[in-house]
Amino acid sequence: MEIMKIMVVDDSAITVRKLSMMLESLGHRIIATAANGKEAIEAYRRYRPDVVTMDITMPEMDGIEATSAIIGEFPDAKIVMVTSHGQEKMVLDALKVGAKGYVIKPFQEIKVYEAIEKACKRVVIQEKLLAEIEQRKMLALQRDAAALAAQAVIEAEADERSAGQ
């Protein structure tokens, strides 16, 4: 899977953090975040992400208006709407203005992955996807274990130095 630069747009800091962590665990890079549609348009112009996850309901400018504006200026933009149950009409409106897909809260890693891959017109093979997610989790665990081991060595050396003084 190719590493993509992603912008996360949501007025909830918790959702931004949760979605960002999930996307990073899938190997992507979060290059920008925005809390409303106006910020999203400006950030898109500045950072030109490969994919945007866009909340539908936000203050100042909602995700549908922002999606329409971004697609109007950047027709190749790939935007995946983030929605809650009960917002089906809004999702349809977003798809009509150019969104490439949607994902429903609460997020499931596989559904987020699929929505992003489909937005980029890449075929999702379920078995390959599951294997790749597991592999990425194992790599992350290995990195964490290596970092902890390195920290333990540094602390042990510091303890030896302070004991010798």
Side-chain angles (χ1 to χ4, degrees):
M1 178 174 75
E2 168 188 340
I3 294 174
M4 285 188 268
K5 298 177 292 184
I6 299 180
M7 178 170 70
V8 177
V9 182
D10 202 296
D11 59 323
S12 163
I14 293 169
T15 300
V16 169
R17 188 168 47 250
K18 187 182 289 186
L19 191 52
S20 295
M21 287 173 39
M22 186 179 291
L23 290 164
E24 287 173 340
S25 77
L26 291 169
H28 300 302
R29 201 172 90 213
I30 305 305
I31 61 166
T33 62
N36 63 57
K38 288 181 180 179
E39 288 179 14
I41 295 166
E42 291 305 314
Y44 193 94
R45 287 179 184 140
R46 181 172 181 194
Y47 296 103
R48 304 283 170 91
D50 297 319
V51 178
V52 176
T53 63
M54 178 81 70
D55 188 20
I56 289 183
T57 53
M58 296 180 289
E60 289 191 51
M61 178 186 281
D62 69 29
I64 297 167
E65 291 176 86
T67 297
S68 180
I70 291 170
I71 298 285
E73 195 170 331
F74 304 94
D76 292 337
K78 292 167 182 65
I79 301 174
V80 174
M81 303 310 292
V82 174
T83 182
S84 301
H85 284 286
Q87 293 183 319
E88 290 81 7
K89 185 196 176 314
M90 292 174 158
V91 170
L92 289 174
D93 291 343
L95 294 171
K96 285 178 190 171
V97 300
K100 305 292 187 236
Y102 66 95
V103 63
I104 298 173
K105 297 176 192 176
F107 305 116
Q108 294 177 349
E109 200 168 55
I110 289 173
K111 296 295 184 190
V112 171
Y113 179 95
E114 286 176 340
I116 288 173
E117 292 296 301
K118 286 178 183 176
C120 295
K121 297 193 183 320
R122 295 198 283 218
V123 177
V124 176
I125 300 168
Q126 197 73 21
E127 298 78 30
K128 185 178 176 188
L129 166 63
L130 293 172
E132 190 156 345
I133 288 172
E134 284 307 310
Q135 181 182 11
R136 289 188 182 283
K137 286 181 180 177
M138 290 303 296
L139 288 172
L141 287 173
Q142 289 171 352
R143 278 194 309 269
D144 291 348
L148 287 173
Q151 184 64 34
V153 167
I154 291 168
E155 289 173 3
E157 289 173 350
D159 289 347
E160 285 178 21
R161 281 193 299 274
S162 65
Q165 292 178 2

